[in-house]
Amino acid sequence: LAVVLHKLYAVDWAYTAAGSELNQELTDDDKLLLDVVGQWLNEPNEVNRRLAMESADAGGYESTACWAAAAVGWSGGSLAPADIQVVPPPDDLTSKAIFGCISMIAVQNSAQIEKRAAQLVELGLQFAARRPIPPPLYSGEQEEKPKDTPPQKPMVQSPPPIPPKPVTPPAPAKPVLNPPPPKFVPPRPRTSAPQPPPASPGPWSTDPL
């Protein structure tokens, strides 16, 4: 029954059983834990789920109210602390916590285990008959939210490349002809100005001639 019930109704079953007269070992601390469970039943969000999980862990899972709070904490979200990687709980973990809570209530009186168990099951069947069935819990939280990506800029088509201008090949070099031999031009006769006659030696000349 804990497996087939919707998690919201399964937790409500454990919450009602733990707070009823069937639970003969309800303490003041357990009442505080049940208040946390009732808060989640009124507002089944991630904040209240994590509060219930941490409260059950602090209680040491030693009472029926602790297991009811654990059923809330294991109903979705992550089993790991909020600041590390998400570790989702197995889908049947809530039903196992509900079974622990109901079983602990049933065995409180060993002489009436079968009778008490039948009463607890009858209480659970009342939740199974509830309508309408609520939607799955945390359906939006389990889905990975798409990351915000910046809008893509429109692609601007670049103009086609301009083809290079054709290169004009250089003109072929003209063959170099052998130049004609230079014409012989006879030198012109050099004309010199008439030289004056040598002067006659004077009386004081040192020229021996």
Side-chain angles (χ1 to χ4, degrees):
L1 185 57
V3 173
V4 299
L5 276 177
H6 187 278
K7 290 182 180 180
L8 191 65
Y9 290 163
V11 172
D12 202 354
W13 176 27
Y15 169 78
T16 304
S20 68
E21 296 179 353
L22 291 173
N23 188 8
Q24 301 172 358
E25 300 177 358
L26 187 65
T27 64
D28 292 338
D29 291 339
D30 291 339
K31 292 179 180 179
L32 294 176
L33 281 171
L34 291 179
D35 289 341
V36 175
V37 177
Q39 183 176 344
W40 178 84
L41 288 171
N42 292 327
E43 297 182 21
N45 54 38
E46 175 63 16
V47 175
N48 292 333
R49 183 204 67 83
R50 185 166 290 277
L51 176 62
M53 183 178 66
E54 294 173 353
S55 300
D57 189 64
Y61 307 96
E62 296 180 354
S63 67
T64 57
C66 273
W67 284 107
V72 172
W74 299 342
S75 62
S78 175
L79 299 178
D83 55 346
I84 64 176
Q85 186 177 0
V86 175
V87 181
D91 190 60
D92 62 344
L93 208 55
T94 293
S95 60
K96 291 180 178 179
I98 299 296
F99 177 78
C101 175
I102 298 300
S103 298
M104 289 181 69
I105 298 174
V107 301
Q108 287 177 0
N109 189 337
S110 59
Q112 299 180 355
I113 291 179
E114 293 183 1
K115 179 182 178 180
R116 294 168 62 85
Q119 292 174 336
L120 292 167
V121 172
E122 182 64 29
L123 179 62
L125 290 175
Q126 295 177 13
F127 288 96
R130 285 190 176 183
R131 293 294 184 273
I133 298 176
L137 296 171
Y138 317 110
S139 58
E141 296 176 2
Q142 297 294 340
E143 300 175 358
E144 184 179 358
K145 296 180 180 179
K147 298 181 179 180
D148 295 334
T149 55
Q152 297 182 356
K153 296 181 179 179
M155 297 180 63
V156 180
Q157 296 182 355
S158 57
I162 302 175
K165 295 181 179 180
V167 179
T168 305
K174 294 181 180 181
V176 179
L177 301 178
N178 292 329
K183 296 180 180 181
F184 177 74
V185 179
R188 294 179 180 182
R190 299 178 62 183
T191 58
S192 58
Q195 299 293 332
S200 59
W204 302 103
S205 176
T206 58
D207 188 357
L209 301 178

